[in-house]
Amino acid sequence: MLVGAGLLWMGWAGFNGGDPYAANTDSSLAVLNTNICAATSLLVWTCLDVIFFKKPSVIGAVQGMITGLVCITPGAGLVQGWAAIAMGVLSGSLPWFTMMIVHKRSSLLQKVDDTLGVFHTHAVAGFLGGATTGLFAEPTLCSLFLPVTNSRGAFYGSPGGVQFLKQIVGALFVIGWNVVVTSIICLIIRTAIPLRMPEEELVVGDDAVHGEEAYALWGDGEAFEATKHGWSDDTQHGDGRINRSSAA
């Protein structure tokens, strides 16, 4: 997991820094802000884990890193360093709150299969990043990246906070588009195959159902269909233990 997180962090700096399609001041700032926001978010998330759960969590640290990367992406080359820190504080705290508090108290969210917490790390953090870009986008940096003149965040005198409102409207459009199009795709798929496994198979685990348990070799340790590898003479006890004597 940590190796994957490191590769993700490195790659994220790559595509944020590559947005201007050139090695220039804007791309350099995008890479710097990406690292600043991700590191800040990771530290904030870890501190909240320590404060409320009395110990840090490696998974929590990775989640904080991801929320920071997601949050800074809309404004990586458009905000100054102090704004990247502020965005990191927000992305390390608000998604933490929705994941650790709101999710556990919401009956609707409890019914959603979201093992990796993508709603919190991407939807919440992404919306937050888009909105804060509308607040912190610096005029000079905007001119380096955008052909549109007079682009600036609300903190830099955006008239009527119009850029912030544009960011909110854009985010709401994306949310609506995803809900509609994803629902259509799922309805089409459902006509061919079920969208969800039966409860008894979910209890066993989808990896076991597909015969892909990491340490189940030649039937040893399989949690589902223990005879699929040819152990036709095996007998299984009521507690799930398998007698290999007949197979031996």
Side-chain angles (χ1 to χ4, degrees), residues 43-66:
L43 291 173
V44 170
W45 193 295
T46 303
C47 288
L48 289 173
D49 278 346
V50 171
I51 292 171
F52 289 94
F53 302 124
K54 307 306 179 185
K55 62 179 180 180
S57 165
V58 173
I59 296 177
V62 172
Q63 298 281 40
M65 176 204 78
I66 293 173

Side-chain angles (χ1 to χ4, degrees), residues 16-74:
N16 274 358
D19 280 346
Y21 300 106
N24 54 23
T25 301
D26 195 40
S27 62
S28 300
L29 182 62
V31 173
L32 178 61
N33 282 337
T34 297
N35 286 284
I36 290 174
C37 186
T40 303
S41 182
L42 184 155
L43 291 173
V44 170
W45 193 295
T46 303
C47 288
L48 289 173
D49 278 346
V50 171
I51 292 171
F52 289 94
F53 302 124
K54 307 306 179 185
K55 62 179 180 180
S57 165
V58 173
I59 296 177
V62 172
Q63 298 281 40
M65 176 204 78
I66 293 173
T67 56
L69 293 172
V70 171
C71 182
I72 193 60
T73 296

Side-chain angles (χ1 to χ4, degrees), residues 65-144:
M65 176 204 78
I66 293 173
T67 56
L69 293 172
V70 171
C71 182
I72 193 60
T73 296
L78 307 176
V79 302
Q80 294 181 322
W82 67 266
I85 295 175
M87 293 170 72
V89 172
L90 292 173
S91 64
S93 55
L94 292 183
W96 181 94
F97 177 77
T98 62
M99 179 182 289
M100 299 301 178
I101 307 299
V102 177
H103 187 100
K104 295 180 180 179
R105 297 182 180 180
S106 171
S107 57
L108 175 62
L109 292 176
Q110 288 290 327
K111 297 177 182 178
V112 178
D113 292 331
D114 189 8
T115 307
L116 301 178
V118 174
F119 172 78
H120 309 282
T121 59
H122 286 70
V124 175
F127 185 91
L128 185 63
T132 52
T133 298
L135 295 176
F136 300 138
E138 201 272 337
T140 303
L141 297 176
C142 288
S143 66
L144 295 177

Side-chain angles (χ1 to χ4, degrees), residues 126-213:
F127 185 91
L128 185 63
T132 52
T133 298
L135 295 176
F136 300 138
E138 201 272 337
T140 303
L141 297 176
C142 288
S143 66
L144 295 177
F145 183 72
L146 302 171
V148 181
T149 59
N150 200 33
S151 296
R152 63 187 64 217
F155 279 24
Y156 293 92
S158 175
V162 64
Q163 188 60 49
F164 177 72
L165 295 177
K166 287 180 179 179
Q167 299 292 109
I168 298 297
V169 171
L172 292 176
F173 172 80
V174 172
I175 292 171
W177 176 267
N178 281 330
V179 170
V180 173
V181 176
T182 303
S183 299
I184 293 173
I185 293 172
C186 288
L187 290 174
I188 295 174
I189 293 175
R190 193 172 65 175
T191 62
I193 59 174
L195 294 177
R196 182 181 174 90
M197 291 180 176
E199 289 295 332
E200 58 272 15
E201 292 186 4
L202 287 174
V203 171
V204 173
D206 57 353
D207 55 345
V209 170
H210 289 288
E212 296 179 354
E213 291 173 280

